[in-house]
Each structure stands twice: as C-alpha cells, then as structure tokens.
Amino acid sequence: MHEAAPVNPWVAFAYLVAGVCFILALRGLSSPATSRRGNRLGMIGMGIAVLTTIFTHLPVDPNGIGRTLLELDTVTLFEILAAIAIGAIIGLTTARRIAMTAMPQLVAAFHSLVGLAAVLVGIAAYLNPQAFGIASLVVPMIGEPFAVINPVSKVEMGLGVAIGAITFSGSVIAFLKLNGSMSGKPILLPGRHVINLATLAAILLLVAQFAHTQDSWPFWAVVVLSFAIGFLLIIPIGGADMPVVVSMLNSYSGWAAAAMGFTLGNTAMIITGALVGSSGAILSYIMCRAMNRSFISVIAGGFGATDSGGGGAAAIDRPWKRGSAEDAAFLMQQAEQVIIVPGYGMAVAQAQHALREMGDKLKEHGVRVKYAIHPVAGRMPGHMNVLLAEANVPYDDVFELEDINSEFAQTDVAFVIGANDVTNPAAKTDKTSPIYGMPVLDVEKAKTVLFIKRSMGGVGYAGVDNEVFYRDNTMMLLADAKKMVEEIVKSMD
C-alpha cells in the first residue's frame, strides 16, 4: 500500500494558522462593520496557504538539508510564477472595474471557476495518479505500466469531480440568468424531478463502480452526467430565488474543494472547502427559512418554480397615482418616521449615495430614518447591505425583515426604491403566484407608500406585477432611481 509522506510540523502549523485566518475572516464578514478586516484576514490566510503549498512541492535536497527553490526546474518555476501573475492581474483588474450591480454574476462566475478547477484536478489525478501520490501499486502492463489508485482516493476523486462539475454548469446558468443573458423565469422540463433524481442516483452508482473497478468509462460518465445535472438543477429556478441559488452554489464549490483536498492530501484545501461548504449550506438554510421555502427543494431543483407558472407577467389594468419629486419631498419632510426599502432597482441606478444624502437631509428635519432589508433583496445574499455600507449608511439604521416588519403599520412613509418582489402582497394571498409563501416587507401598511420604478409596464424579476402599485395610499415615482432621489434632495428645504 502507498504510505503518505510524513508531514513537516511547520507545514502543519502554517496550515493551522491559515485555517484560523479563514475562520476569523468568515466571522468578520458576518457584519458590515468588520467586513474589511474579514477580507484582509482571508487574504492573509490564503497567502500563507499558497506559499506553504508551494514550499511542500519544492524538490528535496539529496543531502537531506531541506527544500530549495533553486533546485526547481526552470519550466516548473516559470509555470508557477506565470499562473500566479495571470491570476493576480485578472483579479485586480476585475476588482477595480466591476460595478456593484454586476457583483452577483461575478460571484457566480467565481463559483464556476472553483468547480471547473476541481474537475480538472480530478481528471489530472486520474490520468497520473503516481504524481498525486494516490497510487497504491503499479502493475506492469503491455505498453506502459498501469497504476492502481487507492480505493478511498477513487471515491474522493469521483465525488470531487461530480460536485465540481455540478457547481460549474449550475454556476454558468446562474451567471446567464443574473447577467440577463437568459430569462429569469423558470424553465420547467416535463418530469424534471424524476430526471434529476435518476441522474443523481446514476452518478452515485457510477462513482461506486469506478471505485470498485477503476474502469475509465464510469469516471468519464460521472463527468458528463454531473455537467448535465448542474444545468438541469438550476434551469427551473426562478429569478426571485437567485440569491439562494448563489448561496447554494457557494456551498457546492466548498465541498468540491474539500473533496479535492482529500485527493491531494492538502490540509488547507480541506479546511477551506469545509468552511465554505458548511457556511454556504447554513446561509442557504437560513435564507430558505426567511423565505418560507424548503431546503430539500433547493437541493432537488426547481426551487420556487410552479408548473402553473401563476402570477402572470402582465401589468394589472387598474388606476394608479403618479407623484413628483416635490410631492415626495414634502410628504417625507412632514413625517415622523420614514422606512426606506432598497432593492435591485437601486443597485442598477447606483442610487445608494444619493439615498444616503436624502436620509441625512431627512434627519436634519427631525425625521427618523430606517432601512429595511429583505433577505433576498438584490441578486445575492447581503447585496443591499453591501451597497448601503459602500455609501456609508450607518449600520445602526439598517434592519432585517423580522426586526422591522412590525413597524410599517406605525410608519408615515415607506420609501421603496426598486424592490418589487420583496414587497409584493401576492406572496401572502395568491396561491398561484411563484412567490407565494415568501415573507415580504409589509410596506402597504404604512400611511403612505412612495414607490420608485422606471415604468408601470415593467414587472419584478419573478415576472409578477405588484398590487401595491394600485393602492390608494401609494404614489408612484416613475423615473431612474438615482435621478429621482437626487431631485427629491434638491426639493428639500
């Protein structure tokens, strides 16, 4: 049997330090106030992990003195440095140029790369198990020797490749939907649940077959079917549920990395993958509870989709009231409390800075200003929190749905800026609606609702019109969100 090389205690200690940094990073990212520190700790931890991994793969001095970079062949050294340089350039360029509105699809793209990396590593390990240290013995065969892979390594490799392929193809679909390249409406295939479950069962059986025989066909069949099931799982999911999908794919990418960590015998990958996988799963569960959804239905696919496709995308033909920036400014200045509800419309218009200025103006007039955040507002978990933090909105003014929903009935003005689905009463009353059962912000209970959207013809990401638009206490402000808020600020004394 193949025996693992003894682990250098300093290497183990470095990986432990990296793991602690990752845990503290997750802790820091749990709050906007500590998110910068969390990011820095994550970067430090990843830097330690990368340098330690490179060190463990340096050639050993034949005299036993130790490892040295000078003995690394020129080609390998160039490949390592080139890969680091290319990745750094792409990362820095993307971070500087990406707009906050494109952050959800960027996250989905990153998840796809993690999944693809797991697949490629698994394929490389299968084609050259000796180089990865997972061959238990080498059997002389006609032509060239045949390496027998450890049975446990074959299971790890099969599962890692399967999860990675599902993550890649699912993230590609999520990217296309978030980017507007594909419709956000659910694409419902006949018998999709049977197809999904049968495909998943086939993948597990093929992994078992591969672990038992090491034949090539089960391995490649796992790769193909896993890519296919990733598409099938995400295609039926509607746009309103995309934040949960992003969180779920984040979890998948973590488990794929952890599985490859076992295959490679890399402690840092196991720790990091387990942290990402478990935290993503917990976040998905929390968001599902916040939306009154079933976590199992997320795993099975078709989350948030109904065969009836109820709700309809057509606008309701009912009278509505249109207001101006001057009207909105007057109403809010006379109010005792204003609750601002940001949504994806604010992100698209990049109106968060103007919104903070409006909030500051209202405070100068003695108005209490609060911000209500729905768990799935935007296109990824915490999207609105990130935008408000970017605009330096005080953290104490930002409240989650369960903490502020009861206050709308005692609020003078609910100021909704591009948040359609998360304020739609159809989630509470219309059983045919694709968002039925999802807790929403009760903005309609406020004395006055000011609702900013571009036009009355548009509907939310879930393709459902909002009955709040046509209520007697609602005034529609039809314009670009940023321009409208700026005009409101100008109209205030």
Side-chain angles (χ1 to χ4, degrees), residues 35 47 66 93 127 131 153 260 353 382:
S35 59
T93 304
L127 296 177
S153 296
M260 285 300 103
H353 295 281

Side-chain angles (χ1 to χ4, degrees), residues 405-427:
N405 223 16
S406 60
E407 292 193 31
F408 281 103
Q410 292 81 41
T411 297
D412 297 295
V413 177
F415 186 85
V416 186
I417 177 167
N420 191 346
D421 298 327
V422 299
T423 61
N424 197 334

Side-chain angles (χ1 to χ4, degrees), residues 104-105 107-108 111 167 170-171 173-175 177-178 233-234 236-253 255 276-305 374-383 421-422 434-435 437-439 461:
Q105 48 263 52
V107 171
H111 291 164
T167 303
S171 298
I173 295 298
F175 172 85
K177 289 196 173 191
L178 291 166
L233 284 173
I234 307 303
I237 299 177
D241 301 323
M242 270 300 126
V244 181
V245 174
V246 172
S247 175
M248 182 180 67
L249 291 171
N250 177 50
S251 179
Y252 287 176
S253 68
W255 297 125
V276 173
S278 57
S279 61
I282 292 171
L283 178 59
S284 299
Y285 176 73
I286 292 173
M287 295 184 71
C288 287
R289 288 192 61 187
M291 296 175 64
N292 196 28
R293 304 290 197 187
S294 167
F295 185 67
I296 300 301
S297 67
V298 181
I299 305 300
F303 177 53
H374 192 280
V376 295
R379 296 292 184 267
M380 71 176 186
H383 196 184
D421 298 327
V422 299
I435 63 172
M438 180 180 78
Y461 199 41

Side-chain angles (χ1 to χ4, degrees), residues 77-133:
L77 180 60
F78 174 78
E79 289 175 346
I80 293 173
L81 295 178
I84 293 174
I86 293 172
I89 291 172
I90 294 174
L92 288 171
T93 304
T94 303
R96 289 180 179 275
R97 294 186 178 181
I98 195 72
M100 288 303 298
T101 51
M103 194 59 64
Q105 48 263 52
L106 176 66
V107 171
F110 283 163
H111 291 164
S112 72
L113 294 178
V114 175
L116 184 60
V119 174
L120 294 177
V121 170
I123 292 174
Y126 171 68
L127 296 177
N128 191 10
Q130 292 170 269
F132 287 81

Side-chain angles (χ1 to χ4, degrees), residues 326-335 338 412-413 448 450 475:
E326 291 76 12
D327 297 330
F330 176 79
L331 287 170
M332 286 192 287
Q333 283 179 307
Q334 304 304 312
V338 173
D412 297 295
V413 177
T448 302
L450 300 176
M475 182 179 293

Side-chain angles (χ1 to χ4, degrees), residues 392-410:
N392 294 318
V393 171
Y395 305 132
D396 294 340
D397 293 347
V398 181
F399 298 86
E400 300 297 328
L401 178 146
E402 62 272 13
D403 297 324
I404 200 170
N405 223 16
S406 60
E407 292 193 31
F408 281 103
Q410 292 81 41

Side-chain angles (χ1 to χ4, degrees), residues 217-480:
W217 71 266
F219 177 82
W220 295 111
V222 167
V223 174
V224 173
L225 287 178
S226 298
F227 277 126
I229 192 63
F231 289 114
L232 295 174
L233 284 173
I234 307 303
I235 282 177
I237 299 177
D241 301 323
M242 270 300 126
V244 181
V245 174
V246 172
S247 175
M248 182 180 67
L249 291 171
N250 177 50
S251 179
Y252 287 176
S253 68
W255 297 125
M260 285 300 103
F262 281 107
T263 300
L264 300 176
N266 188 294
T267 308
M269 284 187 67
I270 296 172
I271 294 173
T272 307
L275 286 172
V276 173
S278 57
S279 61
I282 292 171
L283 178 59
S284 299
Y285 176 73
I286 292 173
M287 295 184 71
C288 287
R289 288 192 61 187
M291 296 175 64
N292 196 28
R293 304 290 197 187
S294 167
F295 185 67
I296 300 301
S297 67
V298 181
I299 305 300
F303 177 53
T306 59
D307 292 311
S308 64
I316 302 173
D317 186 16
R318 287 171 53 183
W320 51 277
K321 293 187 295 185
R322 181 168 186 171
S324 64
E326 291 76 12
D327 297 330
F330 176 79
L331 287 170
M332 286 192 287
Q333 283 179 307
Q334 304 304 312
E336 291 186 6
Q337 176 166 289
V338 173
I339 297 181
I340 299 172
V341 181
Y344 190 64
M346 181 192 76
V348 172
Q350 288 288 285
Q352 60 268 26
H353 295 281
L355 194 66
R356 180 194 56 77
E357 186 179 356
M358 185 188 81
D360 292 342
K361 284 274 189 180
L362 289 173
K363 290 179 181 178
E364 292 176 4
H365 286 79
V367 180
R368 291 192 307 274
V369 178
K370 296 183 178 181
Y371 296 79
I373 305 294
H374 192 280
V376 295
R379 296 292 184 267
M380 71 176 186
H383 196 184
M384 295 301 105
N385 301 78
V386 171
L387 291 173
L388 294 179
E390 180 195 17
N392 294 318
V393 171
Y395 305 132
D396 294 340
D397 293 347
V398 181
F399 298 86
E400 300 297 328
L401 178 146
E402 62 272 13
D403 297 324
I404 200 170
N405 223 16
S406 60
E407 292 193 31
F408 281 103
Q410 292 81 41
T411 297
D412 297 295
V413 177
F415 186 85
V416 186
I417 177 167
N420 191 346
D421 298 327
V422 299
T423 61
N424 197 334
K428 297 178 286 186
T429 58
D430 186 0
K431 294 184 177 181
T432 67
S433 173
I435 63 172
Y436 178 73
M438 180 180 78
V440 293
L441 291 161
D442 298 329
V443 296
E444 75 278 5
K445 294 181 179 180
K447 294 179 182 178
T448 302
V449 179
L450 300 176
F451 211 118
I452 296 181
K453 67 193 305 277
R454 288 182 179 273
S455 69
M456 292 300 294
V459 292
Y461 199 41
V464 184
D465 201 17
N466 194 337
E467 195 265 340
V468 170
F469 302 159
Y470 313 98
R471 295 208 171 193
D472 293 335
N473 64 330
T474 300
M475 182 179 293
M476 301 301 299
L477 307 173
L478 303 184
D480 173 83

